[in-house]
């Protein structure tokens, strides 16, 4: 917590950050989101904030004035006493602290601990030992999310790969026994399952780029109305009735600069959701963003007449693995759709449509490539 010439001082229960002899800001330790424990040069606790009380279940009155190892009897995952291992006051004078690691409190409760050794001068004796404590809930949630992603990917890959392996092995072993029509059917199945695996890999790459903020948008002028028409024709070609779709395109749409491949991905996902999970007529409306949207751009609305999305699920629609029904899918599509729209600087919302079904509405703002700005 001390950087460069900055130092910590306790004054009337607050921590004052000093720089160059001037007070910059006063911080109440109880305002910090993480647990803060400070021990003096003798190893006795002189600061124990509310977050530390919450994390350790030790009261402030019990902690203040006691030796640090009694207040925080930490052990590593092998059961070794942490302060005995690290020996901050008697160890190497060149040490500046301890990186964050997972340790155990009495009773086996896990906590993330990092420490900073504050010295009067380099290699001098420790004047303050500053310890940061954090709960493991956030890390556990991340680990569960990763585990769920791995389980989903494994499940989605198993079926098509089993099919590909089975059909190719059968064809290689018994090629002469099958008619041309049977061979064609098996190869078409292999091709469809290979495409399914390819789509899943593309989704995983998109998630990686969205999570890391590396999703690239290559803007160029696009005709959103024509893109909508292409997707509807694709659904009709795959067996949907033309009467299933109703398209409303308003005239004089603003010029739209966007990544055509990614907008195709957004439209394809929203239309597929409406066809697969909705019912009745699927309505697609393209119009300039209205005054109430408080931004200029193009608004696209996709709605259906199905049962819609339960009110209690509205807030989870754009999260990973959310599935509106049990009709398959990875539950990653809408998460990616939101990431793509936001990468364009736009917004997307979900609600209930006029026909009672789900209604998705996204707005793409007016924009142009940097070299034309």
């Amino acid at each position: 917590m001390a950087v460069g010439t900055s130092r910590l001082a306790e004054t009337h229960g607050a921590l004052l950050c000093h720089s160059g002899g001037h007070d910059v800001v006063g911080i109440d330790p109880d305002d910090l989101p993480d647990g803060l424990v400070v021990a003096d040069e003798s190893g006795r606790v002189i600061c124990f904030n509310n977050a530390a009380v919450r994390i350790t279940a030790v009261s402030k009155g019990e902690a203040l004035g006691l030796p640090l190892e009694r207040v925080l009897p930490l052990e590593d995952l092998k059961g070794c006493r942490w302060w005995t291992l690290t020996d901050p006051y008697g160890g190497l004078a060149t040490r500046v602290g301890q990186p964050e690691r997972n340790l155990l409190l009495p009773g086996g409760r896990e906590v993330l601990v990092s420490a900073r050794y504050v010295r009067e001068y380099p290699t001098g004796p420790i004047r303050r030992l500053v310890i940061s404590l954090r709960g493991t809930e956030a890390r556990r949630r991340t680990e569960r999310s990763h585990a769920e992603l791995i389980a989903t990917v494994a499940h989605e890959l198993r079926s098509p790969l089993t099919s590909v392996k089975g059909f190719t092995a059968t064809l290689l072993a018994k090629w002469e026994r099958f008619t041309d029509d049977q061979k064609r059917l098996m190869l078409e199945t292999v091709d469809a399952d290979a495409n399914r695996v390819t789509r899943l890999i593309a989704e995983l790459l998109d998630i990686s780029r969205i999570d890391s903020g590396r999703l690239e948008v290559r803007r160029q002028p696009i005709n959103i109305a024509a893109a909508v028409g292409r997707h509807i024709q694709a659904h009709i070609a795959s067996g949907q009735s033309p009467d299933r779709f109703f398209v409303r395109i308003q005239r004089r749409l603003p010029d739209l600069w966007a990544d055509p491949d990614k907008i195709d991905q957004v439209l394809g996902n929203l239309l597929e959701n409406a066809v697969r999970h909705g019912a009745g007529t699927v309505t697609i409306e393209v119009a300039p963003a209205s005054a109430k949207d408080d931004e200029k751009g193009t608004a696209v609305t996709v709605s259906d007449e199905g049962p819609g999305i339960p009110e209690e699920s509205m807030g989870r629609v754009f999260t990973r693995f959310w599935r509106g029904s049990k009709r398959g899918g990875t539950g990653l599509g809408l998460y990616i759709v939101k990431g793509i729209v936001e990468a364009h600087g736009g917004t997307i919302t979900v609600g209930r449509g006029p026909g009672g079904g789900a209604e998705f509405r996204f707005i793409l703002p007016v924009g142009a490539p940097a070299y034309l700005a």
Side-chain angles (χ1 to χ4, degrees):
M1 296 184 65
V3 181
T5 59
S6 297
R7 62 186 179 86
L8 291 171
E10 294 82 32
T11 303
H12 303 300
L15 298 181
L16 295 179
C17 296
H18 294 263
S19 180
H22 300 286
D23 291 349
V24 178
V25 64
I27 303 174
D28 187 336
D30 290 335
D31 291 337
L32 298 175
D34 295 336
L36 175 68
V37 181
V38 181
D40 62 13
E41 63 273 7
S42 66
R44 294 187 176 272
V45 174
I46 59 173
C47 178
F48 201 80
N49 73 348
N50 286 342
V53 172
R54 173 178 52 81
I55 292 170
T56 63
V58 176
S59 71
K60 193 174 299 188
E62 292 178 285
L64 294 176
L66 287 181
L68 180 63
E69 62 270 15
R70 285 183 57 187
V71 177
L72 295 178
L74 297 166
E75 295 182 353
D76 65 14
L77 300 182
K78 296 179 180 179
C80 299
R81 301 289 294 218
W82 181 241
W83 300 118
T84 302
L85 284 176
T86 57
D87 191 15
Y89 290 92
L92 293 174
T94 55
R95 289 178 178 168
V96 295
Q98 294 291 336
E100 184 177 78
R101 64 193 65 208
N102 200 2
L103 299 176
L104 300 176
L105 288 167
R109 186 176 181 185
E110 296 185 10
V111 62
L112 300 172
V113 182
S114 58
R116 174 76 175 178
Y117 302 166
V118 181
R119 306 177 187 274
E120 289 285 358
Y121 54 89
T123 73
I126 289 178
R127 184 173 64 87
R128 294 286 188 271
L129 181 61
V130 182
I131 300 116
S132 173
L133 305 175
R134 292 197 298 130
T136 58
E137 293 82 3
R139 178 172 291 186
R140 293 297 182 204
R141 285 195 297 271
T142 300
E143 289 173 351
R144 283 195 298 269
S145 178
H146 289 166
E148 192 171 356
L149 179 61
I150 292 170
T152 299
V153 171
H155 174 76
E156 293 295 324
L157 285 175
R158 184 183 296 115
S159 177
L161 289 179
T162 300
S163 169
V164 169
K165 176 62 178 175
F167 279 124
T168 53
T170 301
L171 285 171
L172 287 171
K174 304 175 181 179
W175 179 267
E176 297 82 4
R177 299 187 185 183
F178 296 106
T179 66
D180 288 345
D181 288 341
Q182 289 173 325
K183 292 174 184 175
R184 175 177 292 276
L185 178 60
M186 285 190 280
L187 288 173
E188 286 174 348
T189 304
V190 168
D191 183 61
D193 285 332
N195 287 337
R196 181 176 164 188
V197 172
T198 302
R199 284 195 302 272
L200 178 59
I201 293 172
E203 285 183 343
L204 294 175
L205 290 173
D206 285 335
I207 286 176
S208 173
R209 295 184 183 112
I210 289 169
D211 288 347
S212 62
R214 295 185 292 106
L215 187 67
E216 294 185 7
V217 174
R218 292 181 168 83
R219 297 180 185 269
Q220 54 186 281
I222 67 171
N223 186 333
I224 191 73
V228 169
R230 288 197 306 273
H231 282 279
I232 291 175
Q233 289 302 317
H235 279 284
I236 293 172
S238 65
Q240 292 292 328
S241 169
D243 296 335
R244 181 85 194 273
F245 303 96
F246 177 74
V247 181
R248 185 186 297 118
I249 308 291
Q250 291 194 20
R251 299 289 183 89
R252 297 183 179 178
L253 293 173
D255 292 338
L256 178 60
W257 291 76
D259 189 314
D261 292 334
K262 289 182 172 54
I263 298 306
D264 271 342
Q265 196 172 347
V266 170
L267 291 172
N269 198 293
L270 294 181
L271 280 170
E272 183 178 351
N273 273 351
V275 170
R276 178 187 295 182
H277 304 296
T281 301
V282 176
T283 301
I284 305 99
E285 181 176 3
V286 182
S290 61
K292 67 179 181 180
D293 294 315
D294 200 28
E295 60 181 310
K296 294 181 179 180
T298 301
V300 180
T301 305
V302 179
S303 60
D304 62 75
E305 298 174 339
I309 298 168
E311 196 68 32
E312 62 273 14
S313 298
M314 290 287 188
R316 298 186 288 111
V317 167
F318 297 109
T319 59
R320 290 185 187 181
F321 312 117
W322 184 85
R323 294 178 178 88
S325 71
K326 298 181 179 179
R327 301 182 190 175
T330 61
L332 301 174
L334 291 176
Y335 178 82
I336 295 171
V337 163
K338 183 174 185 287
I340 291 173
V341 171
E342 291 180 347
H344 281 81
T347 57
I348 183 167
T349 57
V350 61
R352 192 167 294 279
E359 178 181 275
F360 289 89
R361 187 169 190 267
F362 67 92
I363 299 173
L364 298 174
V366 174
Y371 66 86
L372 292 179

